[in-house]
């Protein structure tokens, strides 16, 4: 008998279609708002990652077209361009290097390197660490290597920690095989 009454009450509760919009809104609006914040945060993160890569490609392309000597002022202007293209200059780091491949010794040599913010400059001693990432090259061929790093900070706290966005871009010089550098 008690079980029959409980079943009857549950059936009545299930078939009851009365409700309050305020209670339903109270349940759905926070979930909807949280979902929008997550969507915005992840979209913003992907936008920042794409901006970081586009900026690195742009810097590599600009240097590849250069026929004059690359000096510190030129590299500083590339850092400013990078900051403007990324739009969120949080802990920006950039390293630009000109590498030459020696087929006889099967190794890359650093012709010059400019470092802004990276812990170390690229040198002949540590170029072997990045050599597996580089493309196959002809003997005595050169390439411009642009490495960038930027820290992305999420606009909302939705469980996404600060993320380091890194780019490793290489470009071949366009008009000459050697780009002079005084950096």
């Amino acid at each position: 008998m008690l079980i029959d009454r409980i079943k009857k009450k549950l059936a009545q509760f299930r078939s009851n279609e009365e409700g309050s919009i305020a209670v339903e809104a109270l349940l759905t609006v926070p979930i909807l708002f949280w979902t929008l914040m997550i969507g915005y945060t992840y979209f913003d993160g992907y936008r920042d990652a794409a901006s970081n890569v586009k900026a690195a490609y742009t810097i590599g392309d600009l240097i590849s077209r250069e026929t004059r000597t690359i000096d510190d002022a030129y590299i500083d202007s590339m850092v400013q361009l990078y900051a403007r293209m990324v739009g969120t200059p949080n802990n920006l780091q950039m390293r630009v290097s000109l590498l030459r491949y020696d087929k006889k010794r099967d190794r890359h040599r650093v012709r010059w390197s400019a470092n802004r913010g990276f812990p170390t400059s690229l040198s002949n001693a540590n170029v072997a660490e990045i050599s597996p990432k580089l493309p196959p090259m002809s003997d005595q061929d050169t390439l411009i290597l642009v490495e960038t790093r930027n820290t992305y900070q999420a606009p909302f706290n939705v469980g996404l920690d600060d993320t380091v966005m890194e780019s490793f871009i290489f470009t071949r010089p366009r008009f000459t095989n050697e780009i002079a550098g005084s950096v």
Side-chain angles (χ1 to χ4, degrees):
M1 197 156 178
L2 180 62
I3 294 177
D4 290 337
R5 279 196 312 184
I6 292 174
K7 285 183 182 179
K8 185 177 177 184
K9 289 288 185 185
L10 285 175
Q12 286 175 347
F13 179 73
R14 187 175 16 162
S15 64
N16 186 357
E17 294 183 5
E18 292 180 16
S20 172
I21 191 73
V23 173
E24 292 173 7
L26 187 65
L27 294 173
T28 59
V29 168
I31 295 170
L32 179 64
F33 185 68
W34 186 70
T35 304
L36 289 172
M37 284 179 22
I38 287 175
Y40 177 79
T41 300
Y42 278 89
F43 175 79
D44 189 53
Y46 283 119
R47 181 204 52 80
D48 195 59
S51 295
N52 196 40
V53 171
K54 287 176 188 177
Y57 272 113
T58 300
I59 292 166
D61 187 56
L62 287 171
I63 294 173
S64 74
R65 296 170 188 270
E66 197 58 57
T67 56
R68 294 177 290 162
T69 301
I70 304 293
D71 58 3
D72 285 329
Y74 189 91
I75 296 298
D76 290 338
S77 70
M78 292 295 106
V79 172
Q80 291 173 357
L81 175 68
Y82 175 47
R84 285 193 176 183
M85 288 186 75
V86 172
T88 54
N90 298 323
N91 193 22
L92 292 180
Q93 299 173 351
M94 185 175 82
R95 182 166 58 188
V96 179
S97 307
L98 183 71
L99 305 176
R100 180 180 297 274
Y101 179 69
D102 184 4
K103 187 175 183 177
K104 189 177 193 179
R105 294 186 176 104
D106 191 28
R107 66 179 176 188
H108 295 87
R109 304 294 292 172
V110 177
R111 302 289 293 159
W112 56 263
S113 184
N115 178 22
R116 300 296 186 271
F118 270 77
T120 60
S121 291
L122 191 62
S123 65
N124 288 327
N126 59 6
V127 74
E129 298 170 10
I130 63 164
S131 288
K133 298 180 186 178
L134 297 174
M137 296 172 62
S138 300
D139 189 33
Q140 301 303 312
D141 200 8
T142 58
L143 66 80
I144 300 160
L145 176 64
V146 179
E147 298 169 272
T148 61
R149 196 176 291 158
N150 181 18
T151 303
Y152 173 70
Q153 295 174 336
F156 300 109
N157 185 9
V158 293
L160 184 64
D161 294 332
D162 289 354
T163 307
V164 176
M165 307 284 183
E166 294 180 314
S167 296
F168 185 90
I169 306 299
F170 42 84
T171 308
R172 193 167 184 281
R174 301 212 185 239
F175 304 122
T176 179
N177 199 27
E178 182 77 25
I179 296 176
S182 65
V183 288

